[in-house]
Amino acid sequence: MSKKLPDLISHYRAAGGSLLDLGCGTGTLLIALAGSFGRLTGVDQSPDMLRHAAEAARRAGVDVDLVRGDLRDYRGDRRHSVVTCTYNTVNYMVDAGDLDLAARTLRAATEDGGLAVLDAHPVWFVERAWAGQVFVEQNTEDILEVWENPYDAATGRVDTTVTVVRRTPEGGWHRVHETHPQRGHDPAAITGALLAAGFTSVDTYAGLDREPVREDTRRVWYVAR
């Protein structure tokens, strides 16, 4: 994502100026795009994520403004030429009205003539490949991850639980348990929310190479202007 997104931004001639990353997490995308923008701002509601982002930016020698905030109501002190909201952040908008609030935040943060880029898993991906499934990942001998995805068909909501078991230096085991409430959002819903928020056009793609959306697309990309 961090390698291909600059090409998409360049295609829309939107590089330069300032970049705002909503749901910036550990700052990976901000650092990757640092050379394309004069000013970088990251927003996340998790203090731990912001701490990791600050450390990563320091190690990379990148100057980043980091702010704690929520996608549903964040309002900064300036608008930006490019606003990104990636890595499924929009899928965390699970309650009624959340999607509209997120769209308004995106529009309020984007300069007139600027660009907002976001992604989200659609409902069909959630229902076919995610809902009700259990995934186990063990990339090293010391870390095991278990992802459980109970699904509520009435709301389209998946309250993903993640259990991470990690071997400690002393030879014991440490367990971390998290819950990630998410839901699928189809292109028509997201496009409608963005247009209602004040964007004048929204392009949708099946990937950062700008291929068309199909009914089996796992992640839909949106470019709003």
Side-chain angles (χ1 to χ4, degrees):
M1 187 182 296
S2 61
K3 293 179 180 178
K4 290 188 175 183
L5 190 54
D7 292 336
L8 180 68
I9 293 172
S10 177
H11 172 76
Y12 283 90
R13 298 182 176 86
S18 62
L19 169 70
L20 170 67
D21 189 21
L22 292 166
C24 67
T26 58
T28 301
L29 191 58
L30 285 166
I31 294 169
L33 297 178
S36 300
F37 296 91
R39 181 171 178 175
L40 304 171
T41 302
V43 174
D44 203 284
Q45 66 175 356
S46 167
D48 287 336
M49 287 292 190
L50 293 173
R51 177 173 54 82
H52 285 295
E55 293 173 355
R58 178 183 53 79
R59 290 193 302 268
V62 173
D63 186 18
V64 179
D65 296 323
L66 295 170
V67 182
R68 188 179 183 188
D70 191 299
L71 177 58
R72 292 165 292 192
D73 57 18
Y74 170 75
R75 294 294 183 271
D77 58 0
R78 62 176 296 168
R79 300 168 78 187
H80 303 265
S81 50
V82 175
V83 178
T84 54
C85 185
T86 60
Y87 295 110
N88 307 359
T89 299
V90 173
N91 289 113
Y92 284 83
M93 302 294 102
V94 297
D95 294 330
D98 280 357
L99 186 58
D100 291 333
L101 293 174
R104 292 171 196 163
T105 294
L106 284 159
R107 181 63 189 95
T110 306
E111 294 177 351
D112 293 338
L115 199 70
V117 182
L118 55 148
D119 68 0
H121 290 310
V123 172
W124 60 75
F125 168 74
V126 172
E127 290 183 340
R128 297 173 190 173
W130 192 7
Q133 301 296 314
V134 177
F135 305 103
V136 179
E137 297 182 8
Q138 185 169 8
N139 296 319
T140 75
E141 293 182 354
D142 297 327
I143 299 178
L144 174 70
E145 299 179 21
V146 180
W147 297 66
E148 301 173 78
N149 300 279
Y151 179 58
D152 184 344
T155 63
R157 177 167 169 162
V158 178
D159 285 347
T160 299
T161 59
V162 184
T163 302
V164 181
V165 181
R166 177 175 58 84
R167 191 192 305 271
T168 67
E170 297 76 24
W173 296 92
H174 176 69
R175 187 178 74 170
V176 176
H177 187 77
E178 299 179 349
T179 300
H180 294 260
Q182 300 182 68
R183 62 171 296 182
H185 294 292
D186 282 344
I190 293 181
T191 296
L194 291 168
L195 293 174
F199 288 102
T200 59
S201 67
V202 180
D203 297 330
T204 57
Y205 301 112
L208 291 171
D209 294 325
R210 307 194 308 279
E211 57 265 33
V213 175
R214 302 179 302 272
E215 64 177 15
D216 61 346
T217 296
R218 297 166 59 92
R219 181 191 304 273
V220 179
W221 284 87
Y222 304 82
V223 179
R225 293 172 287 177

